[in-house]
Amino acid sequence: MAAAAAALLSAWFWNERFWLPHNVTWADLAAAPGPEGGGGSRYPQAGHVLSAFPLALGIFAVRLLFERFIAKPCAIKLGVQDRGPHRAQPNAILEKVFTSITKCPDGRRLEGLSKQLDWDVRKIQRWFRHRRNQDKPTILTKFCESMWRFTFYLSIFSYGLKFIWSSPWFWDTRQCWYNYPFQPLTSSLFCYYIMELAFYWSLMFSQFTDIKRKAAKLANYAKYQRLCDATFILFGVVFIVTRLGIYPFWILNTTLFESWELIGPYPSWWLFNGLLVTLQVLHIIWSCLIIRIAYKALLRGKVSKDDRSDVESSSEEDDMTSNSTKGIFSTSSNGANRINGHVASTQWAEEE
């Protein structure tokens, strides 16, 4: 019964009329022998994606070894400290508010806690700031994760560029659709796609602990501000040229217009091109954020916080921000520092 249900589900998911052009079946693709009479199929097969799963486990294991024996020594040599954020002073009342109610109390709640604990508002504010930061990974952990991703992306990009540079369809995109989908699957192309797929599957094992970083973060963690700024400028130029230039006028042009002309649309054609167009919309949004960061950098003299990334401010940075806004507090008649609700909400918004 279970086998029959699995077979029915597989037949529904791999429906030929959805995935393949008209008058083409999976059997047609499997019929051709491997190159020069060798084993395997000459054309891509649906089952090829299964090869990525065991490879993903291997990549995850390599990552653990890389971060421990390569990335960590490099970080230490560059002076990256394995120092965690300042831990909040144990307090049962504040901990209950933090875990059960809010991590960012507003001005009214701060005043209530100030009366209950006989603490001033600034001290309570600092406690919540430290409590939020103490769960963040250390700079060393961030560096190792960034170095692993940078190393993999650089390696797979170099391999892919070397391979596609000699491919005729790289220079004439119309060749992507001649005799589609009966196009030979070379070992180089197979390895490229399976390695990419396996890498992203490996991230499934660490997605609950990873915090995504950019390659430019390596320079930031090592306190090389000039290198960080130069890397960001290079990244911004490459991103805008490739995402707003090459991608729409080269990639989308061939998937939308040349494919329509040479093979015509079919159900999965609409799905894939819909996803590609959605990606282009995201490229426009991300490019606007990058330009905004660059504009702020010109005004401040250095690259500030990346608006595309998660907040990574340390407790020390938060303390500096707190000190810079010291004048917004006033002292009430009972001696506790009070804060206007509007000012408090603004400060929390800037901090978060």
Side-chain angles (χ1 to χ4, degrees):
M1 184 66 178
L8 184 62
L9 179 63
S10 178
W12 170 81
F13 183 81
W14 295 111
N15 189 294
E16 296 167 341
R17 297 284 58 82
F18 177 80
W19 295 107
L20 299 175
H22 303 295
N23 301 322
V24 179
T25 66
W26 294 117
D28 296 334
L29 294 174
E36 299 180 0
S41 174
R42 183 182 181 188
Y43 302 125
Q45 302 294 307
H48 285 161
V49 296
L50 300 177
S51 306
F53 293 106
L55 186 58
L57 292 173
I59 291 179
F60 183 69
V62 170
R63 172 191 172 165
L64 297 178
L65 296 174
F66 178 90
E67 291 185 353
R68 181 173 181 179
F69 296 107
I70 298 179
K72 186 175 181 178
C74 289
I76 294 175
K77 189 172 183 179
L78 290 173
V80 178
Q81 298 181 354
D82 188 14
R83 183 183 61 182
H86 182 83
R87 300 189 66 84
Q89 174 184 347
N91 187 289
I93 296 176
L94 296 181
E95 184 68 25
K96 183 177 180 180
V97 174
F98 182 87
T99 57
S100 304
I101 302 177
T102 178
K103 294 179 172 61
C104 302
D106 57 17
R108 180 175 300 178
R109 191 174 298 279
L110 287 171
E111 290 183 1
L113 291 172
S114 176
K115 294 178 180 179
Q116 184 177 1
L117 298 172
D118 195 24
W119 287 11
D120 61 50
V121 172
R122 184 176 299 280
K123 184 177 180 180
I124 298 175
Q125 216 175 6
R126 186 179 299 111
W127 187 95
F128 276 94
R129 185 163 55 248
H130 290 165
R131 181 62 182 86
R132 288 194 302 272
N133 286 334
Q134 76 180 34
D135 294 332
K136 296 179 180 179
T138 65
I139 298 296
L140 180 63
T141 301
K142 298 174 185 178
F143 183 95
C144 293
E145 180 185 330
S146 296
M147 187 171 180
W148 160 250
R149 297 202 182 203
F150 172 77
T151 302
F152 177 84
Y153 290 143
L154 180 62
S155 301
I156 201 68
F157 171 79
S158 302
Y159 173 81
L161 184 62
K162 179 181 178 181
F163 162 68
I164 65 175
W165 195 265
S166 58
S167 302
W169 41 263
F170 179 71
W171 305 101
D172 180 12
T173 54
R174 293 177 67 88
Q175 294 195 32
C176 294
W177 312 108
Y178 292 151
N179 201 31
Y180 180 87
F182 299 101
Q183 298 168 328
L185 177 63
T186 64
S187 59
S188 299
L189 185 60
F190 176 82
C191 291
Y192 179 78
Y193 276 103
I194 293 300
M195 284 292 294
E196 283 273 20
L197 183 60
F199 173 76
Y200 286 106
W201 271 114
S202 72
L203 297 182
M204 294 292 292
F205 305 123
S206 58
Q207 64 170 325
F208 302 107
T209 58
D210 283 354
I211 298 180
K212 191 172 183 181
R213 314 285 170 193
K214 306 302 177 187
K217 295 291 186 182
L218 293 172
N220 186 32
Y221 298 146
K223 307 301 182 183
Y224 294 158
Q225 186 61 47
R226 290 186 178 180
L227 179 60
C228 179
D229 294 346
T231 306
F232 178 81
I233 294 173
L234 177 62
F235 159 76
V237 172
V238 171
F239 187 94
I240 293 175
V241 169
T242 55
R243 268 64 169 191
L244 300 187
I246 295 177
Y247 181 80
F249 294 105
W250 196 0
I251 305 301
L252 287 183
N253 177 66
T254 188
T255 61
L256 285 171
F257 304 111
E258 294 178 350
S259 64
W260 181 290
E261 177 185 349
L262 295 174
I263 64 174
Y266 50 96
S268 63
W269 184 96
W270 295 99
L271 172 64
F272 291 136
N273 279 290
L275 294 174
L276 292 174
V277 171
T278 302
L279 181 60
Q280 179 58 33
V281 174
L282 295 176
H283 287 164
I284 296 174
I285 296 174
W286 293 331
S287 297
C288 291
L289 292 176
I290 291 173
I291 293 173
R292 188 172 73 172
I293 296 171
Y295 176 73
K296 290 181 180 179
L298 291 176
L299 296 180
R300 300 179 182 180
K302 68 176 183 177
V303 176
S304 58
K305 184 191 70 176
D306 189 341
D307 291 344
R308 300 168 300 118
S309 304
D310 293 332
V311 174
E312 298 183 40
S313 59
S314 64
S315 58
E316 290 82 0
E317 292 171 338
D318 285 332
D319 287 337
M320 292 175 61
T321 302
S322 177
N323 292 334
S324 67
T325 57
K326 186 175 181 179
I328 67 175
F329 294 96
S330 61
T331 304
S332 63
S333 58
N334 64 357
N337 287 335
R338 301 300 180 96
I339 181 172
N340 180 273
H342 173 74
V343 176
S345 61
T346 302
Q347 183 180 4
W348 287 117
E350 292 176 351
E351 182 180 312
E352 294 302 305

